[in-house]
mmCIF file of all heavy atoms in Angstrom:
data_model
loop_
_atom_site.group_PDB
_atom_site.id
_atom_site.type_symbol
_atom_site.label_atom_id
_atom_site.label_comp_id
_atom_site.label_asym_id
_atom_site.label_seq_id
_atom_site.Cartn_x
_atom_site.Cartn_y
_atom_site.Cartn_z
ATOM 1 N N ARG I 1 22.545 -8.125 -10.654
ATOM 2 C CA ARG I 1 23.105 -7.048 -11.470
ATOM 3 C C ARG I 1 22.025 -6.101 -11.984
ATOM 4 O O ARG I 1 22.218 -4.895 -12.030
ATOM 5 C CB ARG I 1 23.886 -7.630 -12.659
ATOM 6 C CG ARG I 1 25.141 -8.410 -12.261
ATOM 7 C CD ARG I 1 26.039 -8.616 -13.481
ATOM 8 N NE ARG I 1 25.327 -9.157 -14.607
ATOM 9 C CZ ARG I 1 25.172 -10.444 -14.849
ATOM 10 N NH1 ARG I 1 25.679 -11.335 -14.003
ATOM 11 N NH2 ARG I 1 24.523 -10.851 -15.921
ATOM 12 N N THR I 2 20.888 -6.668 -12.396
ATOM 13 C CA THR I 2 19.848 -5.833 -13.013
ATOM 14 C C THR I 2 18.827 -5.320 -12.016
ATOM 15 O O THR I 2 18.122 -4.349 -12.295
ATOM 16 C CB THR I 2 19.117 -6.640 -14.099
ATOM 17 O OG1 THR I 2 18.464 -7.766 -13.489
ATOM 18 C CG2 THR I 2 20.092 -7.121 -15.159
ATOM 19 N N GLY I 3 18.720 -5.996 -10.865
ATOM 20 C CA GLY I 3 17.700 -5.619 -9.898
ATOM 21 C C GLY I 3 16.306 -6.068 -10.311
ATOM 22 O O GLY I 3 15.323 -5.665 -9.693
ATOM 23 N N GLU I 4 16.194 -6.893 -11.341
ATOM 24 C CA GLU I 4 14.907 -7.362 -11.846
ATOM 25 C C GLU I 4 14.848 -8.886 -11.786
ATOM 26 O O GLU I 4 15.891 -9.551 -11.778
ATOM 27 C CB GLU I 4 14.710 -6.913 -13.310
ATOM 28 C CG GLU I 4 14.718 -5.413 -13.519
ATOM 29 C CD GLU I 4 13.497 -4.752 -12.919
ATOM 30 O OE1 GLU I 4 12.486 -5.461 -12.719
ATOM 31 O OE2 GLU I 4 13.556 -3.542 -12.637
ATOM 32 N N PRO I 5 13.622 -9.463 -11.748
ATOM 33 C CA PRO I 5 13.503 -10.924 -11.782
ATOM 34 C C PRO I 5 14.177 -11.495 -13.030
ATOM 35 O O PRO I 5 14.069 -10.933 -14.113
ATOM 36 C CB PRO I 5 11.990 -11.157 -11.799
ATOM 37 C CG PRO I 5 11.404 -9.927 -11.194
ATOM 38 C CD PRO I 5 12.306 -8.803 -11.593
ATOM 39 N N SER I 6 14.891 -12.620 -12.871
ATOM 40 C CA SER I 6 15.614 -13.230 -13.989
ATOM 41 C C SER I 6 15.360 -14.726 -13.995
ATOM 42 O O SER I 6 15.294 -15.369 -12.941
ATOM 43 C CB SER I 6 17.121 -12.953 -13.879
ATOM 44 O OG SER I 6 17.386 -11.569 -14.017
ATOM 45 N N MET I 7 15.257 -15.288 -15.216
ATOM 46 C CA MET I 7 14.925 -16.703 -15.386
ATOM 47 C C MET I 7 16.156 -17.507 -15.782
ATOM 48 O O MET I 7 17.044 -17.008 -16.484
ATOM 49 C CB MET I 7 13.834 -16.851 -16.457
ATOM 50 C CG MET I 7 13.430 -18.285 -16.762
ATOM 51 S SD MET I 7 12.223 -18.392 -18.114
ATOM 52 C CE MET I 7 10.772 -17.776 -17.280
ATOM 53 N N THR I 8 16.195 -18.774 -15.352
ATOM 54 C CA THR I 8 17.254 -19.687 -15.760
ATOM 55 C C THR I 8 16.964 -20.222 -17.157
ATOM 56 O O THR I 8 15.855 -20.116 -17.662
ATOM 57 C CB THR I 8 17.352 -20.879 -14.799
ATOM 58 O OG1 THR I 8 16.147 -21.677 -14.902
ATOM 59 C CG2 THR I 8 17.541 -20.416 -13.366
ATOM 60 N N GLU I 9 17.997 -20.797 -17.790
ATOM 61 C CA GLU I 9 17.750 -21.612 -18.968
ATOM 62 C C GLU I 9 17.100 -22.916 -18.505
ATOM 63 O O GLU I 9 16.995 -23.174 -17.313
ATOM 64 C CB GLU I 9 19.062 -21.892 -19.694
ATOM 65 C CG GLU I 9 20.020 -22.807 -18.932
ATOM 66 C CD GLU I 9 21.248 -23.156 -19.759
ATOM 67 O OE1 GLU I 9 21.944 -22.241 -20.243
ATOM 68 O OE2 GLU I 9 21.496 -24.365 -19.906
ATOM 69 N N PRO I 10 16.604 -23.778 -19.421
ATOM 70 C CA PRO I 10 16.023 -25.046 -18.993
ATOM 71 C C PRO I 10 17.056 -25.865 -18.188
ATOM 72 O O PRO I 10 18.181 -26.090 -18.649
ATOM 73 C CB PRO I 10 15.662 -25.743 -20.308
ATOM 74 C CG PRO I 10 15.519 -24.631 -21.291
ATOM 75 C CD PRO I 10 16.508 -23.589 -20.884
ATOM 76 N N ILE I 11 16.675 -26.266 -16.978
ATOM 77 C CA ILE I 11 17.590 -26.989 -16.096
ATOM 78 C C ILE I 11 16.907 -28.223 -15.536
ATOM 79 O O ILE I 11 15.689 -28.380 -15.630
ATOM 80 C CB ILE I 11 18.076 -26.091 -14.932
ATOM 81 C CG1 ILE I 11 16.880 -25.684 -14.052
ATOM 82 C CG2 ILE I 11 18.803 -24.870 -15.441
ATOM 83 C CD1 ILE I 11 17.276 -24.916 -12.809
ATOM 84 N N THR I 12 17.711 -29.101 -14.943
ATOM 85 C CA THR I 12 17.188 -30.241 -14.197
ATOM 86 C C THR I 12 17.046 -29.828 -12.740
ATOM 87 O O THR I 12 18.024 -29.506 -12.080
ATOM 88 C CB THR I 12 18.118 -31.456 -14.310
ATOM 89 O OG1 THR I 12 18.251 -31.812 -15.690
ATOM 90 C CG2 THR I 12 17.550 -32.637 -13.531
ATOM 91 N N LEU I 13 15.825 -29.797 -12.232
ATOM 92 C CA LEU I 13 15.573 -29.370 -10.862
ATOM 93 C C LEU I 13 16.062 -30.425 -9.874
ATOM 94 O O LEU I 13 16.016 -31.631 -10.151
ATOM 95 C CB LEU I 13 14.080 -29.120 -10.651
ATOM 96 C CG LEU I 13 13.457 -28.016 -11.526
ATOM 97 C CD1 LEU I 13 11.947 -28.005 -11.360
ATOM 98 C CD2 LEU I 13 14.045 -26.662 -11.157
ATOM 99 N N VAL I 14 16.514 -29.958 -8.719
ATOM 100 C CA VAL I 14 16.985 -30.886 -7.687
ATOM 101 C C VAL I 14 15.869 -31.837 -7.292
ATOM 102 O O VAL I 14 16.092 -33.036 -7.072
ATOM 103 C CB VAL I 14 17.489 -30.087 -6.450
ATOM 104 C CG1 VAL I 14 17.881 -31.036 -5.331
ATOM 105 C CG2 VAL I 14 18.638 -29.200 -6.845
ATOM 106 N N GLN I 15 14.643 -31.308 -7.212
ATOM 107 C CA GLN I 15 13.523 -32.104 -6.742
ATOM 108 C C GLN I 15 12.798 -32.831 -7.861
ATOM 109 O O GLN I 15 11.792 -33.492 -7.610
ATOM 110 C CB GLN I 15 12.506 -31.208 -6.021
ATOM 111 C CG GLN I 15 11.848 -30.149 -6.899
ATOM 112 C CD GLN I 15 12.639 -28.868 -6.964
ATOM 113 O OE1 GLN I 15 13.857 -28.909 -6.925
ATOM 114 N NE2 GLN I 15 11.965 -27.727 -7.064
ATOM 115 N N GLU I 16 13.298 -32.726 -9.118
ATOM 116 C CA GLU I 16 12.589 -33.289 -10.260
ATOM 117 C C GLU I 16 13.095 -34.691 -10.561
ATOM 118 O O GLU I 16 14.295 -34.914 -10.734
ATOM 119 C CB GLU I 16 12.787 -32.388 -11.488
ATOM 120 C CG GLU I 16 12.068 -32.850 -12.736
ATOM 121 C CD GLU I 16 10.579 -32.867 -12.544
ATOM 122 O OE1 GLU I 16 9.973 -31.798 -12.376
ATOM 123 O OE2 GLU I 16 10.017 -33.991 -12.533
ATOM 124 N N SER I 17 12.150 -35.651 -10.631
ATOM 125 C CA SER I 17 12.518 -37.021 -10.972
ATOM 126 C C SER I 17 12.208 -37.344 -12.422
ATOM 127 O O SER I 17 12.701 -38.311 -12.967
ATOM 128 C CB SER I 17 11.757 -38.013 -10.070
ATOM 129 O OG SER I 17 10.359 -37.837 -10.209
ATOM 130 N N ALA I 18 11.359 -36.553 -13.059
ATOM 131 C CA ALA I 18 11.002 -36.788 -14.457
ATOM 132 C C ALA I 18 12.043 -36.157 -15.379
ATOM 133 O O ALA I 18 12.971 -35.489 -14.938
ATOM 134 C CB ALA I 18 9.612 -36.223 -14.746
ATOM 135 N N ASP I 19 11.842 -36.364 -16.701
ATOM 136 C CA ASP I 19 12.814 -35.866 -17.670
ATOM 137 C C ASP I 19 12.531 -34.437 -18.123
ATOM 138 O O ASP I 19 13.324 -33.863 -18.851
ATOM 139 C CB ASP I 19 12.815 -36.776 -18.915
ATOM 140 C CG ASP I 19 13.331 -38.160 -18.582
ATOM 141 O OD1 ASP I 19 14.122 -38.272 -17.624
ATOM 142 O OD2 ASP I 19 12.941 -39.110 -19.278
ATOM 143 N N GLN I 20 11.401 -33.877 -17.734
ATOM 144 C CA GLN I 20 11.066 -32.556 -18.267
ATOM 145 C C GLN I 20 11.953 -31.472 -17.657
ATOM 146 O O GLN I 20 12.454 -31.582 -16.547
ATOM 147 C CB GLN I 20 9.588 -32.236 -18.034
ATOM 148 C CG GLN I 20 9.179 -32.027 -16.590
ATOM 149 C CD GLN I 20 7.745 -31.509 -16.487
ATOM 150 O OE1 GLN I 20 7.358 -30.604 -17.229
ATOM 151 N NE2 GLN I 20 6.964 -32.098 -15.582
ATOM 152 N N ALA I 21 12.102 -30.388 -18.437
ATOM 153 C CA ALA I 21 12.957 -29.289 -18.018
ATOM 154 C C ALA I 21 12.266 -28.450 -16.952
ATOM 155 O O ALA I 21 11.041 -28.368 -16.895
ATOM 156 C CB ALA I 21 13.305 -28.417 -19.223
ATOM 157 N N GLY I 22 13.080 -27.824 -16.121
ATOM 158 C CA GLY I 22 12.570 -26.901 -15.117
ATOM 159 C C GLY I 22 13.043 -25.488 -15.407
ATOM 160 O O GLY I 22 14.071 -25.268 -16.051
ATOM 161 N N LEU I 23 12.287 -24.514 -14.944
ATOM 162 C CA LEU I 23 12.625 -23.094 -15.089
ATOM 163 C C LEU I 23 12.437 -22.429 -13.732
ATOM 164 O O LEU I 23 11.441 -22.685 -13.048
ATOM 165 C CB LEU I 23 11.716 -22.414 -16.113
ATOM 166 C CG LEU I 23 11.690 -23.001 -17.530
ATOM 167 C CD1 LEU I 23 10.516 -22.439 -18.299
ATOM 168 C CD2 LEU I 23 12.986 -22.677 -18.257
ATOM 169 N N VAL I 24 13.388 -21.587 -13.330
ATOM 170 C CA VAL I 24 13.287 -20.881 -12.060
ATOM 171 C C VAL I 24 13.509 -19.393 -12.322
ATOM 172 O O VAL I 24 14.444 -19.003 -13.019
ATOM 173 C CB VAL I 24 14.318 -21.391 -11.032
ATOM 174 C CG1 VAL I 24 14.085 -20.710 -9.684
ATOM 175 C CG2 VAL I 24 14.245 -22.905 -10.883
ATOM 176 N N VAL I 25 12.620 -18.569 -11.774
ATOM 177 C CA VAL I 25 12.759 -17.113 -11.858
ATOM 178 C C VAL I 25 13.114 -16.597 -10.465
ATOM 179 O O VAL I 25 12.380 -16.832 -9.507
ATOM 180 C CB VAL I 25 11.462 -16.449 -12.352
ATOM 181 C CG1 VAL I 25 11.635 -14.934 -12.399
ATOM 182 C CG2 VAL I 25 11.088 -16.973 -13.732
ATOM 183 N N TYR I 26 14.263 -15.907 -10.364
ATOM 184 C CA TYR I 26 14.735 -15.377 -9.086
ATOM 185 C C TYR I 26 14.487 -13.869 -9.033
ATOM 186 O O TYR I 26 14.799 -13.140 -9.980
ATOM 187 C CB TYR I 26 16.236 -15.643 -8.914
ATOM 188 C CG TYR I 26 16.572 -17.104 -8.759
ATOM 189 C CD1 TYR I 26 17.074 -17.836 -9.835
ATOM 190 C CD2 TYR I 26 16.389 -17.761 -7.548
ATOM 191 C CE1 TYR I 26 17.381 -19.178 -9.713
ATOM 192 C CE2 TYR I 26 16.694 -19.114 -7.418
ATOM 193 C CZ TYR I 26 17.190 -19.812 -8.495
ATOM 194 O OH TYR I 26 17.490 -21.133 -8.362
ATOM 195 N N ALA I 27 13.934 -13.398 -7.905
ATOM 196 C CA ALA I 27 13.709 -11.974 -7.677
ATOM 197 C C ALA I 27 14.509 -11.559 -6.437
ATOM 198 O O ALA I 27 14.291 -12.097 -5.348
ATOM 199 C CB ALA I 27 12.223 -11.679 -7.462
ATOM 200 N N PRO I 28 15.470 -10.615 -6.551
ATOM 201 C CA PRO I 28 16.306 -10.235 -5.413
ATOM 202 C C PRO I 28 15.521 -9.407 -4.392
ATOM 203 O O PRO I 28 14.615 -8.662 -4.754
ATOM 204 C CB PRO I 28 17.430 -9.425 -6.062
ATOM 205 C CG PRO I 28 16.799 -8.861 -7.304
ATOM 206 C CD PRO I 28 15.827 -9.883 -7.784
ATOM 207 N N VAL I 29 15.912 -9.546 -3.107
ATOM 208 C CA VAL I 29 15.263 -8.806 -2.019
ATOM 209 C C VAL I 29 16.340 -8.059 -1.242
ATOM 210 O O VAL I 29 17.218 -8.678 -0.625
ATOM 211 C CB VAL I 29 14.488 -9.753 -1.078
ATOM 212 C CG1 VAL I 29 13.799 -8.938 0.028
ATOM 213 C CG2 VAL I 29 13.481 -10.571 -1.865
ATOM 214 N N TRP I 30 16.285 -6.724 -1.290
ATOM 215 C CA TRP I 30 17.207 -5.876 -0.519
ATOM 216 C C TRP I 30 16.439 -5.163 0.596
ATOM 217 O O TRP I 30 15.418 -4.520 0.336
ATOM 218 C CB TRP I 30 17.836 -4.803 -1.416
ATOM 219 C CG TRP I 30 19.013 -5.244 -2.201
ATOM 220 C CD1 TRP I 30 20.302 -5.399 -1.768
ATOM 221 C CD2 TRP I 30 19.029 -5.568 -3.597
ATOM 222 N NE1 TRP I 30 21.121 -5.802 -2.790
ATOM 223 C CE2 TRP I 30 20.361 -5.916 -3.948
ATOM 224 C CE3 TRP I 30 18.062 -5.609 -4.578
ATOM 225 C CZ2 TRP I 30 20.726 -6.286 -5.220
ATOM 226 C CZ3 TRP I 30 18.411 -5.981 -5.850
ATOM 227 C CH2 TRP I 30 19.742 -6.324 -6.172
ATOM 228 N N ARG I 31 16.905 -5.295 1.815
ATOM 229 C CA ARG I 31 16.380 -4.441 2.889
ATOM 230 C C ARG I 31 17.091 -3.092 2.850
ATOM 231 O O ARG I 31 16.509 -2.066 3.174
ATOM 232 C CB ARG I 31 16.573 -5.103 4.256
ATOM 233 C CG ARG I 31 15.803 -6.416 4.412
ATOM 234 C CD ARG I 31 15.981 -6.973 5.823
ATOM 235 N NE ARG I 31 15.382 -8.295 5.922
ATOM 236 C CZ ARG I 31 14.100 -8.517 6.171
ATOM 237 N NH1 ARG I 31 13.288 -7.478 6.332
ATOM 238 N NH2 ARG I 31 13.622 -9.735 6.238
ATOM 239 N N ASP I 32 18.359 -3.116 2.477
ATOM 240 C CA ASP I 32 19.145 -1.895 2.334
ATOM 241 C C ASP I 32 19.550 -1.794 0.863
ATOM 242 O O ASP I 32 20.357 -2.593 0.371
ATOM 243 C CB ASP I 32 20.387 -1.943 3.236
ATOM 244 C CG ASP I 32 21.243 -0.662 3.106
ATOM 245 O OD1 ASP I 32 20.813 0.264 2.366
ATOM 246 O OD2 ASP I 32 22.310 -0.619 3.732
ATOM 247 N N GLU I 33 18.977 -0.844 0.149
ATOM 248 C CA GLU I 33 19.212 -0.751 -1.298
ATOM 249 C C GLU I 33 20.642 -0.349 -1.630
ATOM 250 O O GLU I 33 21.078 -0.454 -2.774
ATOM 251 C CB GLU I 33 18.243 0.259 -1.915
ATOM 252 C CG GLU I 33 16.792 -0.172 -1.814
ATOM 253 C CD GLU I 33 15.868 0.780 -2.548
ATOM 254 O OE1 GLU I 33 16.382 1.797 -3.064
ATOM 255 O OE2 GLU I 33 14.665 0.511 -2.601
ATOM 256 N N GLN I 34 21.398 0.151 -0.634
ATOM 257 C CA GLN I 34 22.781 0.530 -0.872
ATOM 258 C C GLN I 34 23.724 -0.666 -0.760
ATOM 259 O O GLN I 34 24.904 -0.559 -1.099
ATOM 260 C CB GLN I 34 23.208 1.619 0.139
ATOM 261 C CG GLN I 34 22.335 2.872 0.090
ATOM 262 C CD GLN I 34 22.347 3.519 -1.276
ATOM 263 O OE1 GLN I 34 23.388 3.583 -1.935
ATOM 264 N NE2 GLN I 34 21.180 3.995 -1.719
ATOM 265 N N ALA I 35 23.241 -1.770 -0.229
ATOM 266 C CA ALA I 35 24.097 -2.948 -0.034
ATOM 267 C C ALA I 35 24.439 -3.570 -1.382
ATOM 268 O O ALA I 35 23.691 -3.449 -2.356
ATOM 269 C CB ALA I 35 23.400 -3.957 0.865
ATOM 270 N N GLY I 36 25.566 -4.274 -1.413
ATOM 271 C CA GLY I 36 25.983 -4.902 -2.658
ATOM 272 C C GLY I 36 25.152 -6.135 -2.963
ATOM 273 O O GLY I 36 24.482 -6.220 -3.987
ATOM 274 N N LEU I 37 25.191 -7.129 -2.058
ATOM 275 C CA LEU I 37 24.410 -8.340 -2.245
ATOM 276 C C LEU I 37 23.040 -8.183 -1.611
ATOM 277 O O LEU I 37 22.883 -7.491 -0.600
ATOM 278 C CB LEU I 37 25.130 -9.539 -1.610
ATOM 279 C CG LEU I 37 26.364 -10.062 -2.342
ATOM 280 C CD1 LEU I 37 27.001 -11.197 -1.555
ATOM 281 C CD2 LEU I 37 25.992 -10.536 -3.743
ATOM 282 N N PRO I 38 22.012 -8.846 -2.167
ATOM 283 C CA PRO I 38 20.693 -8.798 -1.544
ATOM 284 C C PRO I 38 20.684 -9.631 -0.261
ATOM 285 O O PRO I 38 21.564 -10.447 -0.019
ATOM 286 C CB PRO I 38 19.781 -9.400 -2.615
ATOM 287 C CG PRO I 38 20.666 -10.290 -3.407
ATOM 288 C CD PRO I 38 22.022 -9.639 -3.415
ATOM 289 N N ASP I 39 19.660 -9.417 0.555
ATOM 290 C CA ASP I 39 19.501 -10.213 1.770
ATOM 291 C C ASP I 39 18.928 -11.584 1.453
ATOM 292 O O ASP I 39 19.150 -12.536 2.212
ATOM 293 C CB ASP I 39 18.572 -9.486 2.749
ATOM 294 C CG ASP I 39 19.162 -8.153 3.186
ATOM 295 O OD1 ASP I 39 19.974 -8.148 4.118
ATOM 296 O OD2 ASP I 39 18.815 -7.127 2.567
ATOM 297 N N ALA I 40 18.191 -11.684 0.371
ATOM 298 C CA ALA I 40 17.553 -12.954 0.020
ATOM 299 C C ALA I 40 17.059 -12.875 -1.419
ATOM 300 O O ALA I 40 17.164 -11.837 -2.090
ATOM 301 C CB ALA I 40 16.390 -13.248 0.976
ATOM 302 N N PHE I 41 16.523 -14.009 -1.892
ATOM 303 C CA PHE I 41 15.823 -14.079 -3.173
ATOM 304 C C PHE I 41 14.473 -14.742 -2.928
ATOM 305 O O PHE I 41 14.333 -15.581 -2.021
ATOM 306 C CB PHE I 41 16.581 -14.938 -4.204
ATOM 307 C CG PHE I 41 17.937 -14.415 -4.581
ATOM 308 C CD1 PHE I 41 19.067 -14.775 -3.862
ATOM 309 C CD2 PHE I 41 18.094 -13.569 -5.671
ATOM 310 C CE1 PHE I 41 20.327 -14.314 -4.207
ATOM 311 C CE2 PHE I 41 19.348 -13.105 -6.026
ATOM 312 C CZ PHE I 41 20.464 -13.475 -5.290
#
């Protein structure tokens, strides 16, 4: 929606076996800026 990198709230990572929280920042990638959904993150 914003076109900018966005961070999750503290989450349990799929690959995490410990109890500590994980954080993921997603940055959208558009090859065609007119497209609705990005091609990747």
Side-chain angles (χ1 to χ4, degrees):
R1 294 195 309 271
T2 63
E4 300 291 338
S6 295
M7 178 184 287
T8 66
E9 68 175 55
I11 63 174
T12 301
L13 299 172
V14 176
Q15 64 272 34
E16 181 62 66
S17 58
D19 294 333
Q20 68 171 315
L23 303 166
V24 185
V25 179
Y26 293 101
V29 181
W30 277 281
R31 297 183 187 275
D32 180 4
E33 295 185 357
Q34 302 301 320
L37 287 177
D39 297 276
F41 297 89

